[in-house]
Amino acid sequence: MTEPLTRGRRGPAAAMVRASLFAVALAAIPAVVPDGMAAQEAVEVAGTVVDDGTGEPVDGATVRLADASGSARETITGADGAFAFAQVAPGTYALAVRRFGYELLSTPLEVDAQQPPRVDVRLTPQAIPLDPLEVGVEGRPPDLVESGFYHRMEEGWGTFFEPEWIEASKVGFVRMKDYLWVLQNRAPLSRCEKVPVYLDRRPIGTTPGWGTDDAYPGGIFTVGLDRLPPLLEEMSVSDLGAAELYQPGTKIPMFAWTFTTAVCGAVILWSDWTARLPEIPKIEVKLCESRGRPEEVALDGFVEDEVTEVRLPAAHVSASYANPEDPGGLERVETVVRTDSLGRYRVCDLPEGVVIHLTPEYGPHAGGPLVALAAADGDALKLTVPVTSPATITGMVLNEATSALMEGARIVLVDTDFRTVTNAAGRFSLEDLPPGSYTIRAVCAGYTGSPQEVELAEGGNVAVVLRLRATDLARRGTCSI
């Protein structure tokens, strides 16, 4: 039997990528058994995960199957892209597949005792920008970031021209002074006769304004503008990387604040070198191979983002353990390895039975340590690093007819395992959520209501109001109102 599946929700924005799910092969999920299902009814479900573009198996994908109560099991695909779970009771489940470089995919799955579904998961690859990486993940030039350019832009100080816009608009211009009118026409022009121009924090000349400010005839605060160095005359437009325009009476960066700029505003230019992105080196990591010496073992695992559960390539894993050859037990052996493109790491040639401390790092972010025993048949150890800032949804549930707050209503993020219940004041909070798009709904026996779409930014907090209306079965409801 082939079971057609559809995607139930969009994955986390910052961290996941679009994927499509079509029907194929599932067999073997243990112990996700809904209430009331007999053990003898359990079936096997198995399948494969492949790249939608190439058809190649996807190694290292995490496959998760959850029942209606939230109980779930996970497994990881092997080199052939196959996964398997065993003894799945018939019923409705949520199947989710995630892999670094692909979108989180979540969809309902019906399991039939007579015809166990076979499902083929096809994922569409796409690069995922994770913030922050070691080298400018957001695509923002580090030198321009350090100048305060983006901070002022996000605070809404003036009119900003980012490197991409500058690069596209300066085509056909040669001299900087001829190009400035392009910038000035994008914002209300100063009524001063001359407007100071700065380059990389230094005054370099003036550009014509709209006229003479009536409040300051003769330019009482413009004395000395003619003595500014005439560097602007010498500049080529090819030297420009970004720009800021400030109008009279607005916030102005301290390095450009004078009586003149307070009255007439300022044009702040940033040279091309400040707007350059560093080259991101290609990091190829090959996991170590154990030398197979007696009484030595290797320890395997993977590193992922604590919030989005995205696998992290090129993360560092520090491993240390007490040297078994030191009689005093004070000497420690330390080593550092890196994860490969699939977020996997391996520490080789460990004395069997030693207690090892593992600490992951990803760029400037460090995860908590994990203590494990080095064993020949040990499971893969998951390490997490808090790269993405979690988001929160808060809100309340109201009786649509009476506007009374409803205690005991269940709050569900559709097609996810996130849920909670409203408190005595009818309020709720869902915390530690990955950023992304969600559908949220309130559930109470005897009541009905419409779900809402919620978009969560990284570290964001969204407030919602959910309304429920009574049905003919409202008297049987379990909510308090």
Side-chain angles (χ1 to χ4, degrees):
M1 169 184 174
T2 298
E3 178 82 14
L5 301 179
T6 57
R7 184 168 58 219
R9 60 149 288 189
R10 289 170 284 174
M16 309 285 178
V17 191
R18 294 201 178 274
S20 57
L21 181 60
F22 300 89
V24 201
L26 254 184
I29 282 186
V32 184
V33 182
D35 293 340
M37 295 296 180
Q40 62 268 24
E41 296 177 336
V43 296
E44 290 188 343
V45 186
T48 57
V49 179
V50 299
D51 186 297
D52 188 42
T54 66
E56 293 295 321
V58 176
D59 182 11
T62 299
V63 183
R64 176 184 176 88
L65 192 73
D67 65 18
S69 70
S71 298
R73 293 290 298 271
E74 286 188 355
T75 188
I76 297 176
T77 58
D80 57 356
F83 61 91
F85 300 86
Q87 292 192 307
V88 181
T92 300
Y93 295 84
L95 178 71
V97 182
R98 63 169 60 89
R99 164 72 166 81
F100 182 82
Y102 300 89
E103 182 180 315
L104 168 68
L105 188 146
S106 180
T107 184
L109 177 66
E110 291 292 335
V111 176
D112 188 331
Q114 303 303 318
Q115 295 178 301
R118 299 186 61 81
V119 181
D120 179 21
V121 181
R122 306 186 68 87
L123 300 180
T124 303
Q126 184 175 336
I128 297 178
L130 285 175
D131 177 26
L133 284 174
E134 296 174 281
V135 281
V137 179
E138 291 186 353
R140 291 182 171 181
D143 292 316
L144 204 55
V145 171
E146 292 176 5
S147 75
F149 178 91
Y150 290 104
H151 174 74
R152 292 189 292 272
M153 182 178 73
E154 291 163 359
E155 292 291 324
W157 282 31
T159 302
F160 289 77
F161 303 88
E162 296 185 77
E164 297 81 5
W165 191 92
I166 292 288
E167 195 63 32
S169 66
K170 68 184 183 183
V171 176
F173 289 89
V174 177
R175 297 194 306 170
M176 180 71 76
K177 66 175 298 185
D178 296 332
Y179 173 75
L180 286 180
W181 71 266
V182 176
L183 303 182
Q184 290 174 285
N185 281 336
R186 301 285 296 182
L189 294 174
S190 169
R191 292 190 59 82
C192 289
E193 184 177 2
K194 296 180 179 180
V195 179
V197 180
Y198 290 75
L199 173 68
D200 296 343
R201 297 187 175 89
R202 295 182 301 146
I204 61 169
T206 63
T207 186
W210 187 251
T212 301
D213 195 311
D214 295 335
Y216 301 97
I220 185 171
F221 290 125
T222 62
V223 175
L225 286 181
D226 293 334
R227 294 196 297 271
L228 288 176
L231 297 178
L232 183 60
E233 300 286 339
E234 305 170 6
M235 281 192 64
S236 166
V237 72
S238 62
D239 298 327
L240 182 63
E244 310 172 39
L245 262 65
Y246 291 91
Q247 299 307 309
T250 62
K251 288 183 177 180
I252 293 177
M254 287 301 297
F255 65 80
W257 194 95
T258 65
F259 285 121
T260 298
T261 56
V263 172
C264 297
V267 177
I268 297 176
L269 308 178
W270 297 98
S271 57
D272 179 59
W273 69 266
T274 64
R276 292 176 185 166
L277 283 169
E279 292 186 6
I280 301 177
K282 294 182 179 179
I283 301 175
E284 295 184 1
V285 177
K286 184 177 181 180
L287 301 182
C288 65
E289 295 292 339
S290 179
R291 287 177 283 187
R293 294 184 298 196
E295 299 182 355
E296 287 189 346
V297 297
L299 188 149
D300 291 88
F302 54 90
V303 179
E304 65 181 33
D305 182 7
E306 188 174 277
V307 175
T308 65
E309 298 184 356
V310 170
R311 296 285 182 87
L312 302 176
H316 291 83
V317 176
S318 301
S320 69
Y321 57 91
N323 187 350
E325 298 180 1
D326 176 26
L330 299 178
E331 180 184 343
R332 297 194 66 81
V333 179
E334 298 184 354
T335 185
V336 177
V337 298
R338 302 190 80 172
T339 56
D340 64 8
S341 61
L342 302 178
R344 302 173 303 187
Y345 68 88
R346 179 178 299 136
V347 184
C348 297
D349 304 321
L350 296 171
E352 188 170 11
V354 298
V355 176
I356 187 167
H357 294 249
L358 301 168
T359 304
E361 293 182 354
Y362 187 69
H365 305 281
L370 177 70
V371 180
L373 188 69
D377 56 351
D379 295 331
L381 297 177
K382 180 177 76 172
L383 304 175
T384 61
V385 181
V387 175
T388 305
S389 299
T392 303
I393 300 176
T394 57
M396 62 181 70
V397 178
L398 300 178
N399 184 313
E400 189 173 76
T402 65
S403 294
L405 292 165
M406 301 183 67
E407 177 187 358
R410 288 192 298 124
I411 308 301
V412 177
L413 293 188
V414 178
D415 291 332
T416 76
D417 298 329
F418 296 109
R419 58 198 67 211
T420 188
V421 177
T422 56
N423 61 17
R427 300 181 181 274
F428 66 88
S429 176
L430 287 165
E431 301 176 348
D432 297 327
L433 301 175
S437 301
Y438 295 91
T439 300
I440 186 172
R441 68 183 309 157
V443 179
C444 180
Y447 292 83
T448 185
S450 300
Q452 290 189 28
E453 297 295 322
V454 177
E455 190 75 29
L456 290 180
E458 182 177 347
N461 186 356
V462 175
V464 299
V465 177
L466 301 173
R467 291 177 171 83
L468 295 176
R469 54 186 176 275
T471 66
D472 294 338
L473 301 175
R475 292 181 181 178
R476 303 177 187 175
T478 58
C479 295
S480 60
I481 296 179

